[in-house]
Each structure stands twice: as C-alpha cells, then as structure tokens.
Amino acid sequence: MRIIKSIYTTLVLVLFVSLTSCGDLLVTDNEAAGSMKVVEFYGGKCERSKGFNTGTDENETYFTLALSESDLVNSYAEMLELPASNVAYLFFNELKEEQANYTHVNVELSVPNQLTQEFEFSAKDLKEICQFVPRFDQISKHLKDKEYQEVLGSFSKGDQEILSPSEIDSSCTQVDSAYGEIQETQFQGFSFFENEMDGRSVVELFGINIRENMNTPFKLYLDRDTKNTLQFKFDF
C-alpha cells in the first residue's frame, strides 16, 4: 500500500461515474458490484473513476473509489489506512476475472476537519489478500466455536510444540468473560510489514469480534510465505 502524495500528471483517460448516476455503461457489472459492496459496508457517498497512466516504465491501469460522508470511516479518522485497505479489498474481490484489468486500486477518503487522504494498493497485494481472507475467516470461526485444537493447528509445527490448546483456551476465556461470547467476526482491513527480529514478511489482518456484550478488536498475524499463524490478539 502506498499513500499517494499527488494525482498522476500523465493521465490519458479518466471516466468519472457517481454511484447515483445512470451512466453505468462506463463500468462493468463486476465493477458496479464491487462499488456497491463498499457502499453496503461503509455507507456514505462513493464516487468512482478509472483510467491509466503512461508516465512510468510500465503502463498502469487503475480504478479509484472516493468515499465521503461515512460515519464508519469517520470513526477511523486516526487510522484511515485501515478502512482504505478494506475498501480496496471489497472492491477488488468482486472483480473476479476482471482483476487482471488493473495494476492498482486507489482509495480516497474524506473525513471532517481533515484533508482528503489518498491511498494506492497494487493488484498483486490485493490478489494476495483475497487468498488470506478465507484463512482469516476460518481461524475466526474456530475461535468462535472454541475449536482451539484447530486454532493450534494453524501455527507452525515448531510453535505447536510450544503452545497448547489449553493456553489458547485460557487467553480467549478471559476476553469472553469480560465482553461476551463471539457471535461473528467482520474483516476490517490489512497491512504488510517485515518482522524486525527475523526479517520475516508478515500480513496483519484486522477484524471486529461481534460479541454478546461489547464488540472487541481482533488482529491476526500470518506468515506471508507459509500462511502459518504467528499470533492473534484482541486489540488494535
């Protein structure tokens, strides 16, 4: 993910379409479905555009989603990179075979009393996240169903020798007792980083545990190469 500092200056073609517009001949059914997924999740007003840039070594094709007047996005005003990543994922995941049409998805978020922030996500990273989210959903369901042996099985063999289902049970029970049982978990976004200790490439997946009494943040760390679980925690 890259935060965009300025709009491309070598833009050859841009097509602007509002979600409330009738000009949907400019977007495919999958692009329209992806845009609607974003609106269904975040509400607010979403404008979309697409185009290409020939000012780099390789031609770039992109789709831009500009989201404003969203109460949910506004609640993340101090960490807009999180909803931005989810907006990009929600849209890109709906493209299906049309994912190959774009090299990037750009996201513009507008919240009160701040300048509009712009983010860029590569198609390569988004394709990877589309493969990680089912893993996130699977582990989240195991936690919800208290299937701690299955959760342990998502760790590397080395970690499985150190951890035990009872340790995972104890950690989860403390949170369940305080906030109520998990009813479902909603994916909220992602980031990538390099582990400073061993240089390992890590994907950080964010979610919200919908609970009986009070919802809690949820974060899952996976090894980007092996897909093994490295850690999970109930906070951001």
Side-chain angles (χ1 to χ4, degrees), residues 163-215:
L163 296 170
S164 69
S166 61
E167 289 179 276
I168 298 175
D169 186 350
S170 176
S171 175
C172 292
T173 298
Q174 292 181 30
V175 182
D176 290 347
S177 298
Y179 302 106
E181 302 285 328
I182 297 174
Q183 298 175 325
E184 66 173 301
T185 300
Q186 292 182 345
F187 180 70
Q188 296 282 326
F190 68 90
S191 68
F192 296 111
F193 68 91
E194 299 295 323
N195 188 312
E196 294 181 356
M197 298 292 292
D198 57 17
R200 185 160 38 185
S201 185
V202 178
V203 57
E204 191 174 24
L205 303 172
F206 299 82
I208 293 292
N209 292 141
I210 309 301
R211 294 180 177 271
E212 292 176 329
N213 301 327
M214 182 180 294
N215 300 340

Side-chain angles (χ1 to χ4, degrees), residues 57-194:
D57 293 337
E58 297 182 4
N59 290 342
E60 296 180 349
T61 54
Y62 60 87
F63 198 103
T64 300
L65 298 135
L67 192 61
S68 60
E69 302 176 21
S70 165
D71 291 340
L72 182 53
V73 170
N74 293 347
S75 70
Y76 285 101
E78 300 303 317
M79 49 187 309
L80 287 177
E81 63 276 5
L82 183 56
S85 68
N86 196 33
V87 167
Y89 161 74
L90 289 170
F91 171 78
F92 192 81
N93 191 50
E94 291 297 314
L95 292 182
K96 301 180 172 59
E97 70 277 359
E98 294 173 19
Q99 292 178 356
N101 294 348
Y102 295 103
T103 61
H104 297 84
V105 173
N106 299 334
V107 178
E108 301 176 3
L109 298 181
S110 299
V111 299
N113 304 315
Q114 290 190 29
L115 294 175
T116 296
Q117 292 196 34
E118 303 168 354
F119 305 85
E120 180 185 273
F121 301 88
S122 72
K124 178 179 179 295
D125 285 348
L126 291 170
K127 286 178 183 177
E128 195 172 350
I129 289 301
C130 289
Q131 297 175 345
F132 274 117
V133 170
R135 180 78 162 164
F136 173 91
D137 292 339
Q138 180 186 52
I139 294 172
S140 298
K141 186 177 186 304
H142 288 324
L143 290 170
K144 170 182 174 293
D145 296 339
K146 304 184 186 302
E147 297 171 340
Y148 300 129
Q149 185 63 53
E150 285 76 5
V151 175
L152 180 62
S154 71
F155 286 81
S156 70
K157 290 185 178 180
D159 287 338
Q160 290 179 42
E161 294 175 356
I162 299 172
L163 296 170
S164 69
S166 61
E167 289 179 276
I168 298 175
D169 186 350
S170 176
S171 175
C172 292
T173 298
Q174 292 181 30
V175 182
D176 290 347
S177 298
Y179 302 106
E181 302 285 328
I182 297 174
Q183 298 175 325
E184 66 173 301
T185 300
Q186 292 182 345
F187 180 70
Q188 296 282 326
F190 68 90
S191 68
F192 296 111
F193 68 91
E194 299 295 323

